[in-house]
Amino acid sequence: MVMSYQGEAAKEVKEAALQPMLVSDFMTKDLITFRADQTIFQAIDILIKHRITGGPVVNENNELIGVLSEGDCLKEVVKGKYDNMPMLSGTVGDHMTKTVTTIPPEMNVFEAAQLFLSKRIRRFPIVKDGKLVGQISQRDVIKAVREM
């Protein structure tokens, strides 16, 4: 005789389980941002000081105009390899990625997780009504799922 150790099946679905898990509930709102007119050297200092791998670039109206990453900075460093001296010239606006995939705060966390896999990006800026309102990272999504 085989005994089952499976517990009693749940008869009710808890209301909390039906609530959507929105990006806005798990995004980071207090962001380190960059301005297009900052020097690339200033941006590298900020990345190192705050231990971040990149961040959004905004204009004076808090509208997203690009993203600057460590990779963007490394491209500038590599330019100086022939002189054995990193270049580190230009502005954030010269080196930022201008074509940025953004997501709305109303997006479900599971949809965001799928976007992370398909786009192979570390973070997505969250934009509402043309303004930067936050950012979500892969780690934020993992934390959200852990909280379920």
Side-chain angles (χ1 to χ4, degrees), residues 1 21 30 48 86 108 124 131:
M1 179 167 111
M21 295 180 64
D30 186 23
I48 292 168
N108 186 289
F124 286 110
K131 307 284 185 188

Side-chain angles (χ1 to χ4, degrees), residues 30-58 68-70 73 88 91-92 123 135:
D30 186 23
L31 298 175
I32 306 293
T33 60
F34 299 97
R35 293 182 327 275
D37 61 349
Q38 286 178 291
T39 68
I40 197 70
F41 195 80
Q42 290 170 323
I44 289 171
D45 281 346
I46 291 168
L47 292 173
I48 292 168
K49 177 183 176 187
H50 294 283
R51 295 178 170 213
I52 58 174
T53 59
V57 183
V58 294
L68 183 74
S69 69
E70 286 177 325
C73 296
L88 301 179
T91 64
V92 167
R123 70 193 69 76
Q135 178 174 278

Side-chain angles (χ1 to χ4, degrees), residues 127-141:
V127 175
K128 183 171 182 156
D129 300 325
K131 307 284 185 188
L132 179 69
V133 294
Q135 178 174 278
I136 193 161
S137 68
Q138 292 178 7
R139 181 168 292 172
D140 294 328
V141 171

Side-chain angles (χ1 to χ4, degrees), residues 90-140:
T91 64
V92 167
D94 296 332
H95 302 289
M96 69 184 182
T97 301
K98 295 176 178 105
T99 305
V100 180
T101 301
T102 64
I103 59 177
E106 302 84 21
M107 179 179 275
N108 186 289
V109 167
F110 296 104
E111 292 175 79
Q114 182 60 47
L115 269 178
F116 277 118
L117 292 176
S118 65
K119 297 282 188 181
R120 305 185 67 75
I121 298 175
R122 297 174 89 163
R123 70 193 69 76
F124 286 110
I126 313 298
V127 175
K128 183 171 182 156
D129 300 325
K131 307 284 185 188
L132 179 69
V133 294
Q135 178 174 278
I136 193 161
S137 68
Q138 292 178 7
R139 181 168 292 172
D140 294 328

Side-chain angles (χ1 to χ4, degrees), residues 78-97:
V78 169
K79 288 180 184 177
K81 72 180 180 181
Y82 297 110
D83 297 325
N84 204 25
M85 184 66 143
M87 298 296 284
L88 301 179
S89 63
T91 64
V92 167
D94 296 332
H95 302 289
M96 69 184 182
T97 301

